[in-house]
Structure formats: C-alpha cells, structure tokens
Amino acid sequence: MQAKTSPLILEEVYIIGSNIISIPIEDGFDGEINSFDLDIDFDIYSGEEDSDARKIVLSISGNDMEHPTPGYCFSIIAEGNFSYNKTIKLAKQDKDILLTHSAVPIMIGQIRSYLSTLTALGPFGTYLMPSIDMNYLLNKKNEVNQLKENQK
C-alpha cells in the first residue's frame, strides 16, 4: 500500500533536558527491574510570527525520583517544531487533530529512541519504553486542561 504524505511537517526535534540514573538491585529484591509507571505531559504552543508554526514540549519520566525501584530512573524533555503544508487547506479542528494524534506520538517515538540509545550500554540493558495508550493520555490531558479552565 502506498503511503500518503501528511500535511503535518516535522521541522526538528531536540532534547532540551535529560537525566538518567541506574538504581542498583539490593540484596533480597525479588521484584521486576524497570517495573514502574511513566509520567507523560505535553504542551502545545503557537508560533507568534507564523500562525501555522507549532511547538510541542513533551516530558517523560520513569520511576519515582524520591523512592526509586531497581532499574533506570529518568526524566527527559524534548521540544519539537511542526508546521503544515501551506498548499493544503486545513480546518483548525483538523490541524488540532494532527497535533494531538500525529505530532505528540512522533515526539514520544523520538524520546523512546533516545532512551533506548542511552540505556543500551547501561547495567540493565536497553530499556524499551512501552506503547502508550494515546486515547487515555489525551483524555487525561483534556481533564487537566478543563480543571485549569474551571479554576480561572
């Protein structure tokens, strides 16, 4: 099947902050290493000069920095710049859907790749970040945004 190019254009992605440590396995530990929840958050910003320019700042943290379990403990922040193909007319709703359903997963994929590269030579081997339920993540983000709006 032939792929169709998206009107969403990835301009660049870069890591703006990164912290990773290895938490050793203590004597008597019988759990699973790297068994922790991920915390993911993101914000989408509009460009000031170009109304179609978008910046996404996405952070992913794994393990509890205060009380970590054995395995990797990390926090990574990435920034991505996106735009739209100017020859294609898109409604605002379509642009928003492209950002949440394409751009955010692209950013997660970039961090996943970065993290697996960082951990490749680590004491616990390569950490492969699990797949993310995007519907759940987006629903939770909407709930947080609604709560913020209601508090204003």
Side-chain angles (χ1 to χ4, degrees), residues 12-16 55-58 77-82 107:
E12 60 187 347
V13 174
Y14 43 92
I15 303 299
I16 58 175
K55 175 171 60 174
I56 296 178
V57 177
L58 186 132
I77 303 169
E79 184 175 303
N81 294 311
F82 295 84
M107 297 287 298

Side-chain angles (χ1 to χ4, degrees), residues 49-115:
E49 296 171 13
D50 181 355
S51 64
D52 278 345
R54 299 289 183 267
K55 175 171 60 174
I56 296 178
V57 177
L58 186 132
S59 65
I60 299 181
S61 298
N63 215 337
D64 181 359
M65 293 284 193
E66 300 290 322
H67 302 56
T69 60
Y72 297 113
C73 185
F74 58 87
S75 176
I76 301 169
I77 303 169
E79 184 175 303
N81 294 311
F82 295 84
S83 63
Y84 302 97
N85 183 332
K86 294 185 184 326
T87 63
I88 300 173
K89 294 289 181 199
L90 292 170
K92 181 187 179 325
Q93 180 180 3
D94 293 333
K95 290 178 180 181
D96 292 344
I97 289 171
L98 281 170
L99 286 172
T100 56
H101 290 75
S102 290
V104 171
I106 287 169
M107 297 287 298
I108 290 171
Q110 292 290 319
I111 289 179
R112 178 181 286 113
S113 175
Y114 177 77
L115 186 56

Side-chain angles (χ1 to χ4, degrees), residues 116-131:
S116 67
T117 300
L118 278 181
T119 58
L121 297 175
F124 305 113
T126 302
Y127 174 74
L128 296 176
M129 200 172 79
S131 297

